[in-house]
Amino acid sequence: MMSMRLVDCEVQTEEFSLLLPESGSENNVLDKGMKHQHNSASPKETFMRKGGKKCIYLLVILTLMGGAGFVYLGFYCPDSVCSLRPLSLVRSGKNDIHPTKQLHVFSDTLDQFHFRTDGVGQPLLNTARTAMGPSFDDVVARDFQFDIEDHDVIVFLHIQKTGGTTFGKHLVGDLDLARQCECRRRVKKRCTCLRPGKNSFETWLFSRHSTGWRCGLHADWTELTSCVDDVMDKLEDNEIKRRYFYITMLRHPIHRFLSEFHHVRRGATWRNTRLLCQGRRATKEEMPPCYHTETWENVTLDEFMACSSNLAINRQTRMLADLSLVGCYNTSMMTPEDRGRIMLLSAKNNLKKMAFYGLTEEQEISQYLFEVTFNLRFRVRFRQFNQTITDMAMKNFDTETIKRIEELNSLDIELYNYAVKLLQQRFKKLSAQDKHFHEHFHNMGGIFSWAEIESEE
């Protein structure tokens, strides 16, 4: 067996300095003296000189290898695999750049990455990385197929009044699984969704109806991505490496806003929402309450729209954006225009990277995309009905009122229009690849009810 000898590189410093070539007569004399000294050196000294050189070579090689590894991780490693994040500059608090200037830099970066893609729905290979797992493009490329028997987890980001409660019920109650979720309807309407196979004590679904509001009531993207992994470790008392597949539902902004308005009028508050960002909650100064009673019952639409801190306004954009990019809930760090632009770009990017999202107005297409993306099947069909209570109520509002609602929710409207185009592109792509598309699409069974959405919490 070959033996190795460690050599102290520092003890050779003086000797190596004498070996450097120099000019001048004095140096020639020194060279001769050193040559004589070298010729008369003991074998041990000769060996140490050679060992010192080897140390230098080894240090150079290690430095080059480390640099190459950093370049690979920083620029070529897929987003869904690596964890290096340029956004850490914003979050670490160690950067000397002024926060406002720093946020403008990231705004420009997001803008460039978003609009330099080849088309809507294409992966952003070098964009700022997030804590999200495999994207839609990763999954459909079959590189990151969801494996319910392994350590994969579906994380449902539930936005109010988008049909999330109905969809969440389908996830725990209507999927055709080898091991069905065990639901205890009388106990907080909670279900236990454990894996089939070898990891039978692990949970494959993180949602309101399976794990509860573990990351906060209606936790947004900023809260979920910083919370899910720690919560899963505690739930299962096991620190394992999981892959998280994020999903959500979106709805037409005007209908969603009015649906939330009617729900608040009936007494809904979502008072326990944490609004957590970068480890702290939003203060009352940052988010002044819109009402000072127990609820906001019987609020008028004008009052509902007049409160600037009303979270119903552009809710979908806020809940999908990385709020650390805009100083969380501190709105004094930049102009409303810059804040809105950054949030919108961030929400679009995060939506694009999600493994799946559906639209309330496109139930059948959304169902098909979910089933193909995750290779799971529902036992019911999500049929589309044309009108909701909100649709009928809209007839009572004049054109000027609807215009005001549109202006208030302009970010959500742009996000939704983007989501519609992206959904259609995904549907076109997957249906073209599906050799049994017509058979699959027309044999999704069951009925979807709009009435359930309007009564959701």
Side-chain angles (χ1 to χ4, degrees), residues 161-178:
K161 312 309 295 179
T162 59
T165 298
T166 302
F167 184 73
K169 291 178 180 177
H170 286 313
L171 288 176
V172 298
D174 295 323
L175 281 173
D176 187 9
L177 303 173

Side-chain angles (χ1 to χ4, degrees), residues 80 134-147 152 243 245 355 368-377 426 429-436 440:
S80 54
S135 67
F136 169 82
D137 294 278
D138 293 328
V139 176
V140 299
R142 303 306 182 214
D143 295 330
F144 294 91
Q145 279 187 292
F146 178 75
D147 188 348
D152 294 348
R243 293 190 306 180
F245 294 71
Y368 174 79
L369 288 175
F370 180 91
E371 293 188 358
V372 174
T373 300
F374 291 100
N375 195 28
L376 298 172
R377 298 290 182 268
R426 290 183 173 185
K429 178 178 181 177
L430 290 189
S431 60
Q433 295 175 355
D434 188 351
K435 296 180 180 179
H436 306 286
H440 180 180

Side-chain angles (χ1 to χ4, degrees), residues 38-55:
H38 175 71
N39 292 334
S40 62
S42 66
K44 181 178 179 180
E45 292 173 335
T46 302
F47 174 79
M48 291 183 69
R49 280 198 296 271
K50 292 180 179 179
K53 289 183 179 180
K54 291 180 180 179
C55 284

